[in-house]
Amino acid sequence: MGGVPLVVRAVRAARAAHGIDLVVVSTDDDEIARVAAGAGARIVRRPAEISGDTAASESALVHALDELAADGLHPRVLAFLQATSPFIDVDALGEAVGRVLAGEADSVFAAVPSHAFLRQRTAEGVTGVGHDMSSRPRRQDRDPQHRETGAFYVMDTAGFTAARHRFFGRVDVAEVPELTAIEIDTADDLAAASALAGLHAGAHARRAA
């Protein structure tokens, strides 16, 4: 996207975040491994049994931690980034790492505040999710809910190893700007992210200046 592989964007974000001193890419793909290593990541070769479409992300994290432990590396904090999020907020990621290191939370995930009215279909028709459809309070009168962006999940490593799940103990959110929250799952998502790339590049240049 924008001439930069998505995995390279994720590696660069992780390397730039405060508190992260080792970046690991888990993959079974030779090209991804080559590109990620070129961006400065350590590569963990993922076995075929946890590389299919139905494999849980947690299985790859557990395997990567086991591989690091075999080399004597035991990180206190695990930050799980997903390359399908091209605009990872580096500052929010670093703050999340700091909060877990300080014991303020066990698991922190990237999210955007949302005041959306959600609906779901039922056998009786459409109903409101978490609200009464007969009442429509103003946005400023409602507490926001939080929508996961999928960009990152920061966890206490010991807690994750015990739970084998990214949400455990004291869970909190790291609020990120809406502009960074796009997640690429479809061709339309990729087109939208590519259109936003220029805006993000401009914002980074302004902050650097």
Side-chain angles (χ1 to χ4, degrees), residues 121-139:
R121 293 182 182 275
T122 69
E124 291 74 33
V126 175
T127 62
V129 177
H131 70 280
D132 182 354
M133 290 179 63
S134 65
S135 173
R136 193 177 182 87
R138 300 179 306 166
R139 175 189 178 95

Side-chain angles (χ1 to χ4, degrees), residues 69-92:
D71 285 343
L73 298 173
H74 303 279
R76 288 178 56 197
V77 172
L78 170 65
F80 168 40
L81 282 65
Q82 299 197 115
T84 45
S85 295
F87 307 122
I88 294 172
D89 188 312
V90 171
D91 292 336

